[in-house]
Structures are given as structure tokens and as C-alpha cells.
Amino acid sequence: MARTRHYHVSCLLIAGILILNPDNTLASCGSANCFLVTGTQEGVFEPGQVVVDLSYRYIPQDRKKRGSSGTNEVLVPKIDFENGKIIPDHHRELRTINMLSQFNVNIGLSPKYTVALAVPFSNERLHEHYDDVDLAVGDNGEFNNDAGTSGFGDIVVTGKRMMLASTRHLLVGGLGLKLPTGEYQLKDSEGALNEPTIMPGTGSYDFIVSGHYVYQIDPHKISAYVSTQLRFNTENKYDYKFGDSIVLNTGLSYRATDKINISGQINARVADRDEYKGDDVPSTGSTMIFLTPGIQLLSTDSTSFYTHIQVPLYERVNEVNLVPTYGVEFGVSHQIL
Amino acid sequence: MEWSSEYHIRFYNDKARRIASGVLGLSVVLLLAAMSGIPRLNQGDRAPDFSLEDLAGHSIRLVDYHGKPVLLHFWATWCKPCVKELPEIEAGYRALHDQGFTVLAINVGDDKADVREFTNRLGLTFPVLLDPEWHTAERYNVTGLPVSIFVSRQGTVQDKVTGGTLTEEKIRQRFRNGTAIEHDGV
């Protein structure tokens, strides 16, 4: 289940980085107003305000884990969809490099409502493993460095509502739906349906509940925030269900100069095991905690560039799995209207 | 009892999930408790009094202007819509000041030296007060800039204008009609 693992870890980092990504300064100014506590990807925007964001994430996964300890070998199962069974110890995982390019747009509908769209237009993995390991006969498997799976990912649509706003407080609630727009029926080198966890899409409708709270310690200068996201997944047509998950983030943002914001946050994610035909899938599900420092440069009043680096603090996987060494994100955000 | 490795891992994941849920629930409770103290300011409410320093270091209180219509204007030097609106407010102030109309421009968060340079550059003549810690802004529940609050002669909140849309003519109209100054506004 290295592929399973890769997907979940990628999702964690992607979700973590996505959630932490501030696409604007501590105060967002439209043409007529500067809203003090919004302007972040988790916040709400002025009516008619449109903010677009383009980001790229790079996440290499080559560290081997058994539970929370290091290990020398990662043997993971394969899902045999044709025969409806799980084949244990099928792959010996080496590494996977995840590269995600994503487009985000936030549109302010009213003083309280914003709609957000996340479009992962390129989800690519470079994957190395040994296939067809057969421990019973001492077969170590065949090296495989196929390009992995690449393609368009699942679009997420989120409606956000400002629950409360004051000079120092902001509380935003959100409801989201992940659509099965991504590739999830790709074939592997043997012509069989590929592992669900390494494909760009899941083939399922998933439901997301989110909350975001910001406290302005020193308005326009320093803020602290807490956010959470609960994800409830459904089964796709191949009877595969990705594990539900909870994500918690907390962080600080500091305006060092008029042009530079510095941030630091902790991201935690707990994911359930995946299920295939109602059975738990080995080597899926995890608990991970990351530290993510970042910096944002405001090049103009409406455009900013940012980068974040995600460093693992704690990683626990079910059975064995590969985990990320680090994650890095680059992006640009622009306010159109 | 010796736990199997599988049970161990499942136990820790379940435990982590419970911890995460507990942290989430506690955060919600703390959040609601913190937000219960957020002020609400409605039309007709008495405008909260304050005491702020002007650029000369004099202490200015809102109650000092009781009996006169007052425009409280919250702004900051980094707020571009504020920069656009202030000259309009200056024009309205100059036109109506001798009839008793007053503007108190409350700067939030900026350095005194920056505020002084800014007001000199724009040629502002109305009193400019400093709210460096945002305390007065909090009492007026300012969530965006600029915000203009019209206070009646009786010291009650009559109108609140956001979005940098005030013009000299609108100020004149409100003063002339008296609808925002003396009575319930929009």
C-alpha cells in the first residue's frame, strides 16, 4: 500500500499547505474598503471581489516507517479489482515524488458569503517500486519506475459564511463538496486498474466541513488562527472508500514590513483507514503533524508571492508506509476585482 | 495484557482521533466564550465615550462635543480607500464647521510621526486622534476601514457609513437634511 500511503501523505501535505496558504495580507483592500480580518483563503471577501491563486507543490516521499518508527523495508498490498481481493506484500516501495499544480479562485458573493473553487489541474507522481514480490519463493520483485499516474484532479467547491466579525475576531464556517472530476480509472503497466491511492482523482463525492477562526493580536500586524477541516468520504464505483480525516491547523502571521508577511503554523492530520468492499485496507490511515514556516511578498497592492516549507514533526502510519521528507510550495495570488 | 502491533496502531489512531476531536470541541467552547464579549452598536445607542490624544498630545473626549453633531471617522495611512475619502471629509468639514459640525478623525494603529506627516501632506484641519491599540475601534466594532459614524447632538449613533463612499456633498446633505444627524438614518 505504498501507493495508498503516498496518496494520503500527499493529501495531508496538500491539504495542510492549502489550508495554511494566505493569499493576501492581514488586511484586504478592495476598491472601496479595507476589511481588517479577511483576505485569506480561509476568510471571506467583499462582494464582487475576485482573488485567484496559482500554486505548485513538491513533496518527495522516501522515508520508510513502521508505525512511528523507521524501518528498512516497506512491503505493501495491491488491490486486485478484477478478482475483488487484496494481495498482501505485493510492492516493495522505494520512493514517490508528488507534484501538484493547482488553481484557486475565491469570489465574494455578499458581505457574509464567499464561494471558493480549488482546481488541481496537474497532479503528477514519479514512482519507483519493486513489483510482484513473492516472499514465499524468495522473489524480490521487478524494479519499476513507471512515470506513475498523472492527470487532472478532483475539484473542490466550498461555500463559506462569515459567522462573526469584529475588530479582532473572525469566524468563518464552510461546507464543501469534492467532485469526482479527476482521473481515477487509469491503467497500470499490466493493463489493470491502477491503485486508487496514486491516481489523481478518487471517483467519489466527498463532503467537507470546515471552520476558521482568526484573532488579531495587533490588527494589521500580528494575527493568530485556528482552523479545522473534517472530511467525510464516500465509496467510488469500484467499492473503494478513502478514509475520513480530520485536519487541525494553528498558526501565527506577522507583518514584518509593508511588503513582507512571515508565518508559522502547526498542521495535524488524522486519517482513517481506507476500505475496499467494506474491509480495512492495510497500510492506509495515519497520524501526522507538521511544522510549516512561510513567507509572503506583496509585490503590488493586488499581487503577492508566497512560499512555505512543511517539515514533519511526528508521523505514525498503519503497518508500513513511505512518508514525506519535507514539502515545499510556491505560489502567486492576485486580486482581479 | 500484551497488545498486538495492529491493536497498538489502531489504538493510537483512535486515540489521536479522540484527542483531535477534543481539541476541536474545546476550541469551539473557548471561542464562543471569547466572542461573547464583542460589543454591538446599533442606531440610537449612546455612542461610547472615549479619551484619545491628538497630534499635539492633548486629550480629547467625545463627551466634550455633546450638543454638536460629530462625524467620527476611523482610518489608517495604509488604507487606500481612506486616502481617497479624507479630502472629501476635509471639504465637508471646512464648509460646515462654523455651523457647529465637527469631525474627529481617529487613526488606528499608525505611528504618530507617520500620521502627522500624512495629515500635513493632505492639509487636514480637523482634529486627528490616535488609537494605537485599536481600543476605541473595538468599542465601535470597526471591522473595516474607512468607517464613518455620525453622532447626534444628543450623543447617539445615527448612521454608519462604510466603503469609502463619503463625499463633501453627502456630508452637506446629511447636515442640511438633518436625517442622519438628528433622526434615525439608513
Side-chain angles (χ1 to χ4, degrees):
Chain A
M1 294 301 138
R3 291 167 175 163
T4 304
R5 175 183 58 251
H6 295 157
Y7 182 90
H8 275 283
V9 175
S10 299
C11 272
L12 166 63
L13 289 179
I14 290 164
I17 292 174
L18 180 67
I19 288 174
L20 68 85
N21 172 28
D23 62 359
N24 230 319
T25 64
L26 292 177
S28 166
C29 289
S31 60
N33 198 13
C34 291
F35 199 20
L36 291 172
V37 291
T38 61
T40 69
Q41 199 167 46
E42 298 75 28
V44 294
F45 295 83
E46 285 184 66
Q49 195 173 11
V50 178
V51 178
V52 295
D53 182 277
L54 184 63
S55 63
Y56 172 78
R57 292 148 194 166
Y58 179 87
I59 305 167
Q61 296 172 234
D62 52 13
R63 292 191 302 124
K64 302 178 178 69
K65 286 277 191 182
R66 177 179 296 278
S68 58
S69 304
T71 188
N72 292 325
E73 184 173 73
V74 171
L75 288 172
V76 295
K78 173 186 171 67
I79 305 292
D80 181 356
F81 288 101
E82 189 174 337
N83 298 303
K85 62 180 182 179
I86 300 173
I87 304 172
D89 297 331
H90 185 269
H91 296 90
R92 176 178 285 115
E93 296 288 0
L94 295 179
R95 70 169 183 161
T96 297
I97 298 176
N98 303 276
M99 293 165 283
L100 175 71
S101 299
Q102 181 160 303
F103 174 76
N104 285 70
V105 59
N106 280 267
I107 303 171
L109 301 178
S110 74
K112 287 192 174 181
Y113 290 94
T114 290
V115 64
L117 206 64
V119 182
F121 59 88
S122 175
N123 193 352
E124 186 178 353
R125 292 182 177 86
L126 301 180
H127 187 53
E128 292 180 357
H129 64 276
Y130 283 92
D131 258 328
D132 298 318
V133 174
D134 191 336
L135 297 177
V137 299
D139 186 348
N140 289 321
E142 179 181 341
F143 180 73
N144 190 320
N145 64 344
D146 284 350
T149 61
S150 303
F152 194 86
D154 290 338
I155 292 174
V156 179
V157 181
T158 305
K160 292 183 278 189
R161 185 188 193 278
M162 183 173 67
M163 312 299 287
L164 187 82
S166 72
T167 307
R168 293 185 189 267
H169 304 274
L170 172 70
L171 178 64
V172 175
L175 293 175
L177 179 65
K178 188 189 71 60
L179 306 171
T181 55
E183 301 272 7
Y184 72 101
Q185 302 183 87
L186 300 175
K187 300 291 193 288
D188 63 16
S189 56
E190 297 169 357
L193 188 64
N194 217 332
E195 295 295 324
T197 54
I198 64 168
M199 284 194 274
T202 66
S204 62
Y205 290 90
D206 303 333
F207 303 94
I208 301 165
V209 179
S210 61
H212 185 76
Y213 169 71
V214 178
Y215 175 71
Q216 300 280 338
I217 299 170
D218 187 352
H220 193 60
K221 285 195 177 65
I222 306 173
S223 66
Y225 73 89
V226 175
S227 68
T228 186
Q229 187 183 85
L230 287 78
R231 191 163 182 144
F232 305 98
N233 299 326
T234 65
E235 216 172 69
N236 65 17
K237 72 177 188 182
Y238 296 110
D239 302 321
Y240 198 92
K241 176 187 176 299
F242 291 89
D244 297 340
S245 64
I246 297 175
V247 175
L248 287 174
N249 308 291
T250 185
L252 287 172
S253 184
Y254 171 66
R255 179 187 294 273
T257 72
D258 284 345
K259 296 287 187 185
I260 296 175
N261 283 337
I262 298 171
S263 63
Q265 56 183 277
I266 303 283
N267 315 109
R269 181 174 185 264
V270 178
D272 277 340
R273 290 177 181 275
D274 296 355
E275 291 177 11
Y276 176 60
K277 291 186 178 297
D279 294 327
D280 288 343
V281 178
S283 287
T284 60
S286 61
T287 298
M288 302 214 178
I289 302 174
F290 292 84
L291 173 67
T292 310
I295 189 165
Q296 180 188 25
L297 170 65
L298 288 77
S299 60
T300 70
D301 288 343
S302 56
T303 303
S304 66
F305 297 87
Y306 58 87
T307 183
H308 301 99
I309 294 177
Q310 199 155 54
V311 177
L313 296 179
Y314 175 81
E315 294 162 311
R316 172 178 284 278
V317 300
N318 290 329
E319 290 80 55
V320 291
N321 223 324
L322 289 181
V323 296
T325 307
Y326 65 90
V328 64
E329 180 190 32
F330 301 97
V332 57
S333 177
H334 178 68
Q335 182 177 312
I336 295 177
L337 299 172
Chain B
M1 179 177 76
E2 194 171 327
W3 289 348
S4 67
S5 61
E6 179 182 335
Y7 181 85
H8 237 224
I9 291 168
R10 187 179 290 272
F11 171 81
Y12 275 111
N13 272 0
D14 288 344
K15 186 179 176 186
R17 200 178 307 115
R18 281 197 292 272
I19 290 173
S21 300
V23 169
L24 182 61
L26 181 61
S27 301
V28 170
V29 170
L30 291 175
L31 177 61
L32 291 174
M35 294 191 303
S36 64
I38 293 173
R40 302 277 184 267
L41 202 61
N42 300 310
Q43 279 182 346
D45 289 346
R46 180 149 299 279
D49 192 19
F50 54 80
S51 176
L52 297 173
E53 276 192 9
D54 66 8
L55 290 174
H58 303 127
S59 184
I60 306 293
R61 293 182 63 188
L62 177 62
V63 72
D64 296 338
Y65 294 87
H66 187 75
K68 296 179 182 178
V70 177
L71 170 58
L72 300 179
H73 183 73
F74 291 87
W75 67 285
T77 58
W78 48 262
C79 164
K80 294 257 182 338
C82 303
V83 176
K84 285 183 190 173
E85 196 178 51
L86 279 167
E88 296 287 331
I89 296 176
E90 172 67 22
Y93 174 75
R94 292 191 187 195
L96 301 170
H97 182 58
D98 58 359
Q99 299 178 53
F101 177 71
T102 298
V103 173
L104 297 178
I106 302 174
N107 175 274
V108 285
D110 285 323
D111 256 8
K112 190 174 184 176
D114 293 339
V115 176
R116 181 178 286 114
E117 186 276 333
F118 186 89
T119 54
N120 289 342
R121 180 156 44 90
L122 263 61
L124 304 178
T125 59
F126 44 70
V128 174
L129 310 182
L130 303 172
D131 185 18
E133 305 295 324
W134 296 77
H135 293 318
T136 301
E138 281 188 80
R139 296 180 71 194
Y140 280 84
N141 201 25
V142 170
T143 59
L145 298 175
V147 171
S148 296
I149 296 173
F150 289 87
V151 180
S152 71
R153 298 176 198 274
Q154 291 76 33
T156 57
V157 174
Q158 290 304 314
D159 202 0
K160 182 177 178 180
V161 178
T162 60
T165 57
L166 265 187
T167 60
E168 178 191 350
E169 181 52 38
K170 286 181 181 177
I171 295 172
R172 284 174 177 269
Q173 191 175 36
R174 285 169 190 268
F175 185 82
R176 190 169 51 239
N177 294 344
T179 54
I181 304 297
E182 303 294 344
H183 306 288
D184 291 341
V186 172

